């Protein structure tokens, strides 16, 4: 047992020693490599650079991106039903890919809420019809009342008053005859009484008869005058008043009738609208339209809205598209860094994934001027829509298929080309490192006409078969590069205006600290310490305000001196 323990201890000590030895070797290698790199970092490059020769060949530049196949001519089948209190849901729909003709069934939406609303609306229409009948009766009654007054009541009243006039005139005539007769009798009685043939009492009786006849005549004249006054009031006042009142009743009844008819028209229009909505819940293929059913796809907050049973839809939402299979296109979203190179009428090579990477030809028809909306998931990279018409699309091509597009943005039949890695840029200038025939190196300033992420096309600076160094940035000690340009003041045109805030030097104000008096307590000392910083900043602002004009003048002088030095350096 003791021997086994000793063997185990020896094995453990041997493993630890081995680990320590390996660690020391690794640390030594790392330290040696670091020391070697430190000693060689500033040494000139001794490795011979890799070179390539400028060739003359055709240059082709492409913009590669992804897109989606769609038809340039689509008959969009939209939901025309207005959503009420209850949501609109899909109950039944035709399978996608079905070939349909005019009048064929497409989608059935839920219409239970509209049927319930229709029953309530029928009651409203019946009530409106009742109100119209009552208003018509009132209107006809008002017109009949006016006719009744003109041809009945007014004529009857006038005839009655005329009879009163005639009666008064007859009473006056009778009273006048009796008065004349009474006067003749009184005159004869006076003669008889004077001769003594009659008594005085008889004479007084004859005098009373004359007085009575005069009163009867006066009463008849008053009755005649009163009857004529009544006739005048009837013709000139009462008739007009009654006509105005009756006409007002007619107009009021007419307005009420018009209002009730309008209310009935509104209720009938509502009923017609509900019937129309019920009819629109069953969507069919429009007249003169045929094609293959393609479900519409819509993005909603990052998720794709898919048409299926139970899906909620809204008014004017596209549900189904019937594309024209002979006019297909690809809508590609091109990055903002490449969109400036894309223009209409550029040739395009299209590769559709679902067609076993079959390659099709196309041409750019439209480039959107504004970036596509990224929705609520906004990114800093903007993409622009590019529409590409497919030339001779196959029948197997379906809308919604993914496609890769290669837009040929530039083509030169013969150009000077070299790998993109042979160019080194210094600010806005481009340089290459060339190898001359004697083995010496020469820095060439070149003008670039374009690149395709592999090769660069030269416009000037190199010739055919010029030998260029790959990755010239690693051999900058062999190149003669210009000095970096310093930033200069921006000089605006004469009509422009710009306000530049100059830095203002603020002289610090070293104020002596205030000593607290003995009668201040600890809270006053704390408040004084907290407010010292604000008082110091106020004092500093006042000092900088007084010295600001002098400081601005010094800065203007320094700017003028800098501009004169730049001018001398340029000359």
């Amino acid at each position: 047992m003791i021997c086994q323990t000793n063997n185990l201890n020896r094995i453990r000590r041997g493993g630890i020693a081995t680990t320590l030895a390996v660690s020391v070797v690794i640390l030594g290698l790392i330290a040696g490599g670091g020391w070697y790199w430190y000693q060689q970092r500033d040494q000139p490059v001794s490795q011979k650079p890799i070179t390539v020769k400028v060739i003359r060949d055709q240059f082709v530049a492409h913009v590669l991106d992804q897109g989606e196949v769609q038809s340039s001519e689509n008959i969009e089948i939209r939901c025309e039903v207005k959503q009420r209190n209850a949501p609109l849901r899909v109950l039944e729909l035709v399978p996608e890919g079905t070939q349909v003709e005019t009048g064929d069934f497409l989608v059935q939406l839920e219409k239970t809420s509209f049927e319930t609303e229709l029953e309530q609306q029928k009651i409203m229409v019946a009530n409106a019809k009742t109100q119209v009948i009552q208003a018509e009766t009132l209107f006809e009654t008002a017109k009949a009342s006016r006719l009744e007054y003109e041809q009945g009541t007014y004529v009857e009243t006038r005839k009655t008053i005329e009879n009163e006039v005639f009666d008064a005139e007859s009473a006056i005539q009778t009273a006048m005859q009796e008065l004349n007769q009474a006067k003749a009798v009184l005159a004869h009685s006076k003669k008889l009484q004077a001769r003594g043939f009659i008594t005085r009492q008889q004479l007084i009786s004859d005098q009373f008869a004359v007085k009575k006849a005069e009163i009867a005549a006066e009463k008849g004249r008053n009755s005649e005058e009163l009857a004529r006054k009544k006739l005048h009031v009837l013709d000139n006042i009462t008739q007009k008043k009654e006509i105005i009142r009756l006409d007002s009743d007619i107009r009021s009844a007419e307005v009420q009738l018009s209002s009730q008819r309008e209310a009935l028209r509104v209720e009938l229009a509502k009923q017609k609208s509900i019937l129309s909505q019920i009819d629109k819940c069953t969507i069919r293929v429009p007249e003169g339209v045929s094609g293959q059913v393609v479900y519409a796809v819509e993005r909603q907050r990052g998720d794709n809205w898919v048409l299926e049973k139970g899906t909620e839809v809204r008014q004017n939402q596209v549900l189904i598209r019937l594309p024209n299979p002979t006019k297909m296109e690809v809508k590609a979203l091109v990055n903002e860094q490449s969109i400036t190179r894309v223009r209409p009428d550029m040739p395009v090579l299209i590769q559709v994934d679902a067609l076993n990477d079959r390659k099709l030809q196309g041409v750019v028809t439209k480039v959107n001027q504004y970036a596509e909306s990224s929705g609520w998931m906004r990114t800093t990279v903007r993409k622009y829509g590019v529409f590409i018409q497919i030339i001779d699309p196959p029948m197997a091509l379906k809308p919604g298929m993914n496609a890769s597009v290669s837009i040929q943005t530039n083509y030169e039949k013969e150009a000077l080309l070299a790998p993109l890695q042979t160019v080194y840029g210094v600010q806005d200038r481009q340089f290459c490192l060339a190898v001359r025939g004697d083995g010496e190196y020469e820095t060439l300033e070149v003008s670039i006409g374009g690149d395709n992420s592999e090769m660069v096309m030269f416009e000037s600076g190199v010739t055919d078969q010029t030998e260029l160094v790959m990755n010239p940035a690693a051999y900058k000690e062999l190149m003669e590069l210009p000095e970096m340009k310093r930033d200069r003041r921006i000089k605006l045109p004469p009509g422009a205006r710009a306000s530049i805030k100059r830095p203002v030097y603020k002289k610090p104000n070293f104020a002596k600290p205030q000593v607290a008096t003995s009668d201040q307590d600890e809270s006053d000392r704390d408040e004084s310490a907290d407010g010292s910083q604000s008082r110091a900043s106020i004092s500093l602002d006042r000092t900088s305000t007084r010295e600001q004009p002098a400081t601005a003048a010094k800065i203007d002088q320094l700017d003028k001196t800098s501009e004169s030095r730049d001018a001398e350096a340029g000359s």
Side-chain angles (χ1 to χ4, degrees):
M1 191 69 181
I2 295 173
C3 291
Q4 291 179 356
T5 304
N6 292 334
N7 291 334
L8 290 174
N9 291 333
R10 268 192 225 101
I11 292 171
R12 290 173 182 172
R13 287 196 295 270
I16 294 172
T18 303
T19 303
L20 290 175
V22 172
S23 301
V24 168
V25 171
I26 293 174
L27 290 175
L29 291 175
I30 294 174
W35 175 258
Y36 177 78
W37 174 82
Y38 179 77
Q39 292 295 328
Q40 297 294 326
R41 72 186 192 282
D42 295 330
Q43 298 297 327
V45 178
S46 59
Q47 184 180 1
K48 185 178 180 180
I50 301 174
T51 61
V52 294
K53 290 185 178 182
V54 177
I55 62 173
R56 188 178 295 276
D57 198 356
Q58 64 178 359
F59 174 76
V60 180
H62 296 275
V63 171
L64 304 177
D65 226 308
Q66 297 293 320
E68 183 179 340
V69 178
Q70 62 184 22
S71 177
S72 58
E73 287 187 2
N74 286 291
I75 302 298
E76 294 183 342
I77 306 299
R78 297 177 178 269
C79 172
E80 299 180 358
V81 181
K82 295 181 180 179
Q83 188 172 3
R84 304 289 184 173
N85 298 329
L88 288 174
R89 298 184 184 275
V90 178
L91 298 181
E92 188 178 355
L93 70 161
V94 66
E96 189 173 16
T98 305
Q99 192 70 26
V100 293
E101 303 292 337
T102 300
D104 289 350
F105 169 80
L106 293 177
V107 181
Q108 178 63 55
L109 302 177
E110 188 176 5
K111 56 183 179 180
T112 306
S113 60
F114 293 102
E115 293 174 345
T116 303
E117 187 177 359
L118 178 61
E119 296 299 327
Q120 297 175 355
Q121 188 60 31
K122 287 181 179 179
I123 298 174
M124 299 297 292
V125 170
N127 293 335
K129 288 182 178 179
T130 302
Q131 296 296 327
V132 169
I133 294 173
Q134 293 177 356
E136 288 176 348
T137 303
L138 184 63
F139 178 62
E140 295 298 330
T141 302
K143 291 194 297 182
S145 298
R146 187 181 191 281
L147 186 62
E148 178 186 15
Y149 176 78
E150 287 182 335
Q151 299 181 3
T153 306
Y154 168 72
V155 174
E156 180 181 356
T157 304
R158 198 173 193 284
K159 290 295 184 181
T160 302
I161 297 174
E162 288 178 351
N163 290 334
E164 293 178 358
V165 172
F166 294 152
D167 292 342
E169 291 177 349
S170 177
I172 292 173
Q173 292 178 359
T174 302
M176 290 303 296
Q177 291 178 357
E178 291 178 353
L179 177 60
N180 293 331
Q181 185 178 2
K183 287 180 177 181
V185 172
L186 178 60
H188 183 68
S189 296
K190 286 180 179 180
K191 292 177 179 180
L192 292 177
Q193 196 269 341
R195 293 179 179 180
F197 291 107
I198 59 175
T199 62
R200 183 170 178 80
Q201 187 65 32
Q202 291 177 338
L203 179 61
I204 293 172
S205 176
D206 293 337
Q207 290 177 348
F208 178 76
V210 172
K211 190 66 175 177
K212 183 178 179 181
E214 289 178 351
I215 292 173
E218 184 66 22
K219 183 177 179 181
R221 286 193 291 269
N222 289 337
S223 298
E224 181 186 10
E225 183 179 0
L226 178 60
R228 293 188 181 278
K229 284 286 185 182
K230 291 171 64 176
L231 186 62
H232 176 76
V233 170
L234 177 65
D235 290 339
N236 295 279
I237 299 176
T238 305
Q239 182 188 19
K240 293 181 179 180
K241 182 187 71 173
E242 290 297 324
I243 293 297
I244 291 174
R245 183 182 65 80
L246 295 173
D247 288 342
S248 176
D249 294 342
I250 293 173
R251 288 194 300 270
S252 176
E254 186 178 10
V255 170
Q256 186 174 358
L257 176 60
S258 177
S259 175
Q260 295 299 334
R261 286 177 176 174
E262 181 64 19
L264 176 61
R265 187 193 66 79
V266 171
E267 298 298 337
L268 289 174
K270 288 182 180 180
Q271 183 176 353
K272 184 178 179 181
S273 175
I274 296 172
L275 291 172
S276 176
Q277 296 298 309
I278 293 175
D279 184 63
K280 290 177 180 178
C281 286
T282 304
I283 303 176
R284 299 183 180 276
V285 181
E287 185 70 25
V289 177
S290 62
Q292 191 176 28
V293 175
V294 176
Y295 292 165
V297 178
E298 183 177 315
R299 293 186 178 274
Q300 296 181 350
R301 292 189 174 273
D303 297 331
N304 288 336
W305 176 88
V306 181
L307 180 65
E308 58 185 3
K309 290 184 179 180
T311 303
E312 292 186 10
V313 298
R314 64 180 185 277
Q315 185 183 6
N316 205 35
Q317 183 178 10
V318 179
L319 304 180
I320 291 176
R321 289 187 176 91
L322 301 178
N324 187 347
T326 62
K327 295 183 179 180
M328 305 296 287
E329 65 180 5
V330 176
K331 181 182 179 182
L333 298 180
V334 179
N335 195 295
E336 59 184 345
Q337 296 178 352
S338 305
I339 194 63
T340 56
R341 298 159 53 190
V342 181
R343 295 185 300 275
D345 299 330
M346 284 185 171
V348 185
L349 193 63
I350 306 168
Q351 190 170 348
V352 182
D353 301 340
L355 300 182
N356 297 325
D357 295 333
R358 179 178 176 180
K359 294 182 179 180
L360 308 173
Q361 292 183 342
V363 60
V364 177
T365 57
K366 180 184 177 183
V367 180
N368 283 347
Q369 298 298 319
Y370 300 96
E372 294 288 320
S373 175
S374 57
W376 67 281
M377 297 182 61
R378 295 188 176 180
T379 60
T380 57
V381 180
R382 295 288 183 262
K383 291 184 176 291
Y384 292 79
V386 176
F387 296 87
I388 303 164
Q389 180 183 355
I390 301 176
I391 300 175
D392 296 331
M395 294 302 297
L397 193 64
K398 305 297 181 184
M401 290 183 175
N402 294 323
S404 302
V405 296
S406 176
I407 305 173
Q408 192 175 100
T409 59
N410 192 2
Y411 175 77
E412 295 292 340
K413 186 176 181 181
E414 189 174 318
L416 296 175
L417 306 177
L420 189 63
Q421 293 81 1
T422 60
V423 180
Y424 179 72
V426 178
Q427 290 184 334
D428 57 348
R429 303 168 66 181
Q430 309 296 328
F431 297 91
C432 291
L433 182 59
V435 182
R436 296 186 301 192
D438 54 0
E440 296 294 329
Y441 295 94
E442 180 183 4
T443 303
L444 303 177
E445 185 174 0
V446 296
S447 177
I448 304 300
D451 68 87
N452 57 4
S453 72
E454 294 180 359
M455 305 293 289
V456 62
M457 180 178 65
F458 296 104
E459 291 183 346
S460 62
V462 297
T463 59
D464 191 10
Q465 297 301 314
T466 300
E467 190 173 1
L468 302 179
V469 174
M470 295 286 288
N471 191 20
Y475 307 96
K476 288 191 289 185
E477 69 277 0
L478 303 177
M479 301 180 70
E480 297 178 0
L481 300 174
E483 295 183 1
M484 298 289 289
K485 294 181 180 180
R486 294 182 301 171
D487 292 337
R488 297 186 178 182
R489 181 179 181 182
I490 301 175
K491 295 183 179 180
L492 299 176
R497 292 287 183 270
S499 60
I500 301 177
K501 298 183 69 176
R502 300 180 182 274
V504 179
Y505 172 74
K506 296 183 179 181
K507 182 179 178 180
N509 183 17
F510 300 100
K512 293 183 179 180
Q514 296 180 358
V515 180
T517 59
S518 59
D519 56 347
Q520 290 179 326
D521 55 5
E522 291 298 326
S523 62
D524 294 338
R525 293 193 188 97
D526 294 338
E527 293 177 359
S528 177
D530 295 337
S532 61
Q533 185 176 359
S534 62
R535 291 195 296 270
S537 62
I538 295 172
S539 177
L540 184 60
D541 291 340
R542 292 174 180 174
T543 304
S544 61
T545 305
R546 293 194 297 269
E547 296 182 359
Q548 183 174 356
T551 307
K554 291 179 181 180
I555 293 175
D556 290 336
Q557 185 177 359
L558 290 175
D559 290 342
K560 293 178 181 178
T561 304
S562 177
E563 290 178 359
S564 62
R565 289 178 180 174
D566 293 341
E568 292 175 0
S571 62

